[in-house]
Amino acid sequence: MNAPDAPLPRLAARRALAPPVTALDTPAPDAEAQAMLIRRVATARDRQAFAALFKYFAPRVKAYLRRAGLEPGEAEEVAQEVLLSLWRKAESFDPARAAPATWVFAIARNARIDRARRNHGLPGAPEPEEAEDELAPSAETLTLTAEREARVRGALGQLAPEQQKIVKLSFFSDTPHAAIASELNLPLGTVKSRIRLALAKLRAALEEVR
């Protein structure tokens, strides 16, 4: 028998929700590794395995929810609910029936529909699956995304530390240039110049690995 399913604190889940930069900074697990992590959550309530799944899937689920029309704050909240559902329902995952990503995004789709129904105060009819399929990334898309992220990680690693920091703040944390200048105690013009130079180096590095 499995250990009792102690609920994961909501605050811990909120803190674990990784911004996009985290997905770039850590290698993406392949489908087999994801399935193994889900099994560890299901059989041993392994929080380290859950954290790894959270770090990988949370930003992707949030991006899917944003494309589906949710506001940033609401998308983050629903993404947390989706990953907490993974924690609670890990035993129901069957790798013979679906890939891990397919299973997770099915949970996300249902959570999004449930949120829409609650927002409108109506039970509502299920939304067309075709529209959802266009929004949810396929397994092939996730694989290509992981490959692209690996190339970006490699390109970022070729930048000077100060350029890496500015790029991450600007593009992965959506920090305005003025706020970056204030945080790093740099003139605004210097920040913009470093961003331009860093992007030029990234483009050159990414062209080399094509």
Side-chain angles (χ1 to χ4, degrees):
M1 179 179 296
N2 294 336
D5 187 359
L8 201 66
R10 221 176 150 71
L11 179 59
R14 185 174 294 112
R15 288 174 177 171
L17 187 61
V21 64
T22 304
L24 292 169
D25 285 347
T26 55
D30 59 22
E32 184 177 351
Q34 292 167 9
M36 179 189 70
L37 291 170
I38 295 173
R39 284 197 298 271
R40 283 166 52 186
V41 171
T43 59
R45 313 313 292 164
D46 187 327
R47 295 197 179 204
Q48 287 187 338
F50 175 73
L53 290 165
F54 210 121
K55 184 175 292 185
Y56 178 72
F57 278 114
R60 289 160 174 80
V61 170
K62 182 177 178 180
Y64 154 66
L65 294 167
R66 290 285 290 120
R67 290 196 301 273
L70 272 64
E71 294 299 321
E74 189 174 27
E76 181 168 331
E77 182 178 347
V78 176
Q80 292 173 14
E81 293 174 2
V82 170
L83 273 294
L84 289 174
S85 291
L86 183 155
W87 170 264
R88 293 191 297 266
K89 302 176 181 179
E91 290 182 355
S92 68
F93 170 66
D94 183 356
R97 298 181 60 184
T102 302
W103 182 67
V104 170
F105 280 96
I107 296 174
R109 173 183 178 274
N110 292 334
R112 195 194 75 78
I113 292 175
D114 288 345
R115 175 59 64 98
R117 291 172 179 170
R118 290 200 302 269
N119 287 347
H120 291 88
L122 297 170
E127 299 185 12
E129 290 193 12
E130 291 79 4
E132 291 291 335
D133 290 342
E134 292 177 0
L135 292 169
S138 65
E140 180 181 3
T141 297
L142 287 171
T143 299
L144 292 174
T145 298
E147 293 175 354
R148 183 171 63 249
E149 289 172 356
R151 292 198 299 270
V152 172
R153 282 199 308 273
L156 279 172
Q158 297 180 33
L159 297 179
E162 62 272 13
Q163 290 179 323
Q164 289 185 36
K165 187 168 187 178
I166 284 181
V167 169
K168 290 177 180 179
L169 284 171
S170 179
F171 294 97
F172 304 142
S173 299
D174 292 326
T175 306
H177 291 177
I180 295 174
S182 176
E183 179 176 337
L184 301 181
N185 195 27
L186 292 171
L188 181 58
T190 299
V191 168
K192 292 182 178 180
S193 175
R194 288 186 180 179
I195 288 175
R196 285 196 298 269
L197 289 172
L199 288 178
K201 290 182 179 179
L202 282 175
R203 281 194 293 268
L206 291 172
E207 286 292 334
E208 289 178 0
V209 298
R210 282 185 179 181

